[in-house]
Amino acid sequence: MIYNMTVEVKICGLDRPETVDGAVNAGAEMLGFVFYPPSPRNLTASAASRLTNRVPAGVKRVGLFVNPTDEMIDTVLNQNALDLIQLHGSEPPERVAEIKDITRLKVIKVLKVTDIRDLKYVSVYQGVAEWLMFDALAPKDMKGALPGGNALSFDWNILARANIPTPWILAGGLNLENVKEAMSTSGAKVVDVSSGVEKQPGVKCVEKIQSFIQAVGVA
């Protein structure tokens, strides 16, 4: 069953054919594929190609990178047709612009948030990134913390009070139980989930994906 929503959903960290198909069939608008070796969701370029080739027209394929080299990006794009690049590292605006020139693709730049002061970076990337994604910043003492997918959230009221001119996506600790509150509080029109639809780190669950998308909104 496909759910008709006013809020769009991105399912990130997919690494199996059955979960790609499950996300597509449930109505996800964006699918994320991770190219970051420390992540349990990491894919090689060849492994990803077997998944990205399954994605039908109309569903965006997003490649997630963390401070990637030109060589790494070229390796992935030589084997995968992507629609968007998601930059989850410490890439400055100049590097974002370089990657856009290299790939000829639109970019989602992830900004890490702990409090409202972190929104100062919105203006830094305005006009450079087509999308911003707000994710929770992991504490420095968090063992095994990754750039994203840590099941951590932040105060969504921060976004509700902000005037953000660039289209944006809400991420960070979202799951079936809290996504409606997150949307209502923040005003998000696009939500991103990874760990919140997993059985265990790196292993997505088709049933959780379907339930999450249904929770976002049924027409």
Side-chain angles (χ1 to χ4, degrees):
M1 179 178 182
I2 296 178
Y3 301 101
N4 187 11
M5 299 167 295
T6 56
V7 175
E8 296 186 354
V9 175
K10 175 177 175 284
I11 307 293
C12 196
L14 294 162
D15 66 351
R16 290 168 172 78
E18 59 268 26
T19 51
V20 169
D21 295 347
V24 168
N25 292 335
E29 284 81 7
M30 299 184 190
L31 306 184
F33 304 94
V34 176
F35 303 100
Y36 180 60
S39 172
R41 308 166 185 96
N42 179 62
L43 294 167
T44 63
S46 60
S49 69
R50 294 189 286 273
L51 302 177
T52 56
N53 287 336
R54 302 178 72 88
V55 181
V59 179
K60 292 182 174 62
R61 297 157 294 185
V62 183
L64 187 156
F65 299 86
V66 180
N67 300 318
T69 62
D70 292 356
E71 181 181 10
M72 182 179 189
I73 294 172
D74 287 342
T75 298
V76 171
L77 291 182
N78 283 339
Q79 299 184 56
N80 294 271
L82 299 178
D83 301 294
L84 290 160
I85 299 291
Q86 180 174 323
L87 296 175
H88 224 299
S90 56
E91 304 88 0
E94 297 79 11
R95 179 58 177 154
V96 174
E98 288 177 357
I99 290 172
K100 285 176 59 176
D101 287 341
I102 292 167
T103 63
R104 302 297 179 188
L105 295 174
K106 295 180 179 180
V107 168
I108 301 168
K109 180 67 185 87
V110 180
L111 301 181
K112 312 295 176 58
V113 179
T114 52
D115 58 47
I116 197 165
R117 291 172 295 181
D118 295 317
L119 295 189
K120 66 184 178 183
Y121 295 105
V122 168
S123 62
V124 173
Y125 290 95
Q126 186 178 346
V128 181
E130 283 76 17
W131 288 86
L132 297 175
M133 179 183 290
F134 298 102
D135 198 357
L137 178 66
K140 292 182 180 179
D141 59 353
M142 182 177 177
K143 186 177 180 180
L146 294 165
N150 295 304
L152 298 174
S153 59
F154 60 93
D155 182 1
W156 303 312
N157 286 291
I158 293 170
L159 299 177
R161 298 193 298 265
N163 181 18
I164 303 168
T166 304
W168 56 274
I169 301 168
L170 177 64
L174 299 180
N175 55 48
L176 172 63
E177 288 73 30
N178 68 14
V179 68
K180 281 190 174 294
E181 181 186 355
M183 293 186 300
S184 175
T185 302
S186 69
K189 298 301 181 186
V190 187
V191 293
D192 175 278
V193 66
S194 183
S195 59
V197 291
E198 291 181 341
K199 303 175 186 177
Q200 61 191 64
V203 182
K204 294 289 184 290
C205 172
V206 172
E207 290 75 18
K208 287 189 175 184
I209 290 171
Q210 292 170 337
S211 296
F212 181 88
I213 292 176
Q214 185 176 13
V216 168
V218 181

